[in-house]
Amino acid sequence: MALTLISATITLLIYLSLSINSNAALPSDDDGSRPPMLLPLFLSHQPNSTSRSVSIHHRKLQKSLPHSRMRLYDDLLLNGYYTTRLWIGTPPQMFALIVDSGSTVTYVPCSDCEQCGKHQDPKFQPEMSTTYQPVKCNMDCNCDDDKEQCLYEREYAEHSSSKGVLGEDLISFGNESQLTPQRAVFGCETVETGDLYSQRADGIIGLGQGDLSLVDQLVDKGLITNSFALCYGGMDIGGGSMVLGGFAYPPDMIFTDSDPDRSPYYNIDLTGIRVAGKQLSLSSGVFDGEHGAVLDSGTTYAYLPDAAFAAFEEAVMREASPLKQIDGPDPNFKDTCFHVAPSNDASGLSKIFPSVEMVFKSGQSWLLSPENYLFRHSKVHGAYCLGVFPNGKDHTTLLGGIVVRNTLVVYDRENSKVGFWRTNCSELSDRLPIDGAPPGPPQPPPAKLPLNDSNPSLNTSSNLPGEKIQIGQINLDIQLTVNSSYLKPRIEELFKVFSKELDIKTTQVYLSNLTSNGTNSLIRVVVFPPQSSSLFSNVTATSIVSRFSNHQIKLPDIFGDYQLVAYKLEPPREGTRWQMRNTIVVIAIVMVSVVVGLLAYGVWLMWKRKQGSNPYTPVDEATTIVAEQELQPL
C-alpha cells in the first residue's frame, strides 16, 4: 500500500512538471518545421594585395572611428602567453589566439593540416564557411607549386615555425566590440613545429607592422585609427583587455618615441635603468644595439644585453641582500631566486624588493613594481626569481609581457609613440572611458524595440509593446555562435550572467529548450516575474527584450556572439508559475505526510499483531506475587 502511494506521488509530480514545461516549446511553422535562424554578418570590400613588404606609414584618420575591445585570457607565467578570442567564417568558428605584437600574420590550424598539434578548439574548416575564399597566387606573394594559392611561413627565435596557405574570411571580434565582422586575410596552417605544435592555444593574432597584420588591414580599410592597446593582468589576477583602435588616453600616461623606420618591431627610446632610485652605471648606447629596446607581448620574460643584465642583477641583489638566495625551479637554468616568506602572498613585495625605473630619452621614466621583474618560484612557497635574463650574443633589449603586467600599453602608431599607464588591468573597463562614456553605472536601455524590418528573422508572435496585454512570462529565442555540446555544461554559468545583466534573481530565468543549429546553438530562455508579482509591467518586459535586441547584454567571450531571433510576451496562465510551483510543493508535502503516516500506522499494526501472538503474559511488578502451593495427591 505504502509503495503504491509513493509511486502515485512521483507520477503526479512528474505530470505537473511536464504540464508547465510543455507550454514553452520553440516556435514552429504550420508544417512543424522551424525556420532557419541566421546570424547577421556584414560584408566589406575585398582587401588589397597581400604584399610581403612592411607597410608602416599609414594615412592619418581624423574622423571618429569605432574600436574593438576584447578580453584577454590565460596567465602569462603559467601559460607563457595571453590569448584573446576571435571568430572566423560563416557561421563563425571560435579560436583562442596568442596576443603577439611581434608577429605580422594571424593564423589558425586548418582542417587538412598534416602536422598540427591538439589545441584548445577544433581546427578551422574552410569548407564549412560560406564566406571563405583562398588568396589566389599573385606577384606579391609566395605561391604554391601549382601557382594557384598564396603561402606564408614564419619562424621564431625559440625554433618553432608555422606555415600554410593564405585565406580570406569574415573575422568577428566578440560582444564588446563596436566593430562589425570584417573580411581579413589570415593564415590557414598546414604545418607547425616546436612550441606552436605543443601549446594549448590555437594560433596567433598578429599585431605587428606589416600588410598581413590584422591592425594594418583594419587601418588600411579606414575602420579604426592607427593605434591599439594591451593591458596584461598582474601576478595574482590574470586576464586583461585588448583594444584595437584609439580611445581617450589617461592624461598622466607616459609616452616615449617609437621609431617605425628602425625595425618592424615596436621599439622604445630607452636610455637607462634606475634601481632603488640609483642610475645603473651604463652607457646609454647599450640599449641601442640591433633593433634597440623592443616591446614584444608574445615573449614572456625580459632580456637585456649582457652588460646591462649584469649591472641590473647586481643592483637588485644588493638591495635584497638580507634575503636568502635559493636554487631556481629548473636545474637546467641558473636563476636568481630569493626566499621571502613562508606564505605565497605577493602583496608586500614592494616593501622588500626595490623599485625599478625605465628612463627614456625625453627624461621621463616609467616606474616598475617588483611584479614587473619577478616571477613566483613554482616549487618553493614564498620564493621569487628574477624574470630578467641576459640576451647573450643578441644586443637587442627585449621587454616581454612580465614587464608590462598591470600596465596599460598604448601603441600609438599614428604618432610613432608608445604610452604606459600603471593600472589594475582586470578592472580597466571600470577605470577608463574606453567605450566612449565616462565610468559609472550602466545607462538604462531604450524603452522602444527596433522595428521588425531591421531584422526580418525577428518574430514577435503578434505581441508588440503597446498592446494592452497582461504579461506573465517572456520567451526569448537566442542563437549563440557555439555548438550545443560545448554549451550544455556551461548553461548554469550562462544563466547566472543573464540574471546578473538583467538584475533579476536566477530563479526567474529558465531554459526551456536547447537545440543544435550546425555549429551554433539555439536556446529558448523563459523569464518570469519576481515571486512577489505574477505579472510584468509593459515597461519592464519591453526593457528586457530591448536589451537582448540591441546587444546590451554583455556575455563572456566563451559564449561567442549572440542574436535574438524571436521573442514572445505571453499572458499569465490559469494559475501563475509561482502558484503552480507552490501547489506542487503543498501537494508534495501533503502526499509525503500521508505516506509517512500510513507507513507509521502499518508498522504499528505489525507490532501490535506480533504482540498479540505472544503466549506469555508479562508479570506486572506492581501486583502481589502469590506463593506456590504444593498440589494435593489424587
Side-chain angles (χ1 to χ4, degrees), residues 184-238:
V185 175
F186 65 98
C188 209
E189 281 185 312
T190 55
V191 174
E192 56 186 17
T193 66
D195 290 344
L196 293 177
Y197 182 90
S198 58
Q199 71 190 12
R200 182 171 177 268
D202 301 312
I204 284 179
I205 178 171
L207 305 174
Q209 302 184 98
D211 285 349
L212 290 180
S213 167
L214 185 60
V215 178
D216 285 64
Q217 293 187 61
L218 295 175
V219 170
D220 288 341
K221 290 183 177 184
L223 298 172
I224 62 172
T225 56
N226 195 9
S227 174
F228 71 94
L230 296 173
C231 201
Y232 282 2
M235 184 173 286
D236 292 319
I237 301 177

Side-chain angles (χ1 to χ4, degrees), residues 354-358 366-370 372-373 403-404 407 422:
S355 63
V356 173
E357 296 172 84
M358 297 288 182
W366 162 34
L367 181 65
L368 307 183
S369 72
N372 297 123
Y373 63 84
V403 180
V404 292
T407 303
R422 185 75 183 171

Side-chain angles (χ1 to χ4, degrees), residues 85-148:
R85 302 292 188 266
L86 213 62
W87 289 261
I88 303 177
T90 308
Q93 302 173 45
M94 184 174 70
F95 300 96
L97 304 182
I98 295 174
V99 176
D100 191 357
S101 62
S103 294
T104 55
V105 63
T106 298
Y107 52 80
V108 297
C110 221
S111 58
D112 61 350
C113 182
E114 300 174 356
Q115 186 179 319
C116 286
K118 185 177 181 181
H119 302 295
Q120 180 171 328
D121 299 291
K123 298 174 183 176
F124 177 68
Q125 301 180 60
E127 65 276 7
M128 295 295 293
S129 174
T130 59
T131 48
Y132 176 81
Q133 291 181 347
V135 177
K136 295 182 179 180
C137 177
N138 60 76
M139 61 182 298
D140 294 319
C141 74
N142 292 326
C143 299
D144 59 11
D145 294 337
D146 297 328
K147 305 296 182 184
E148 292 183 354

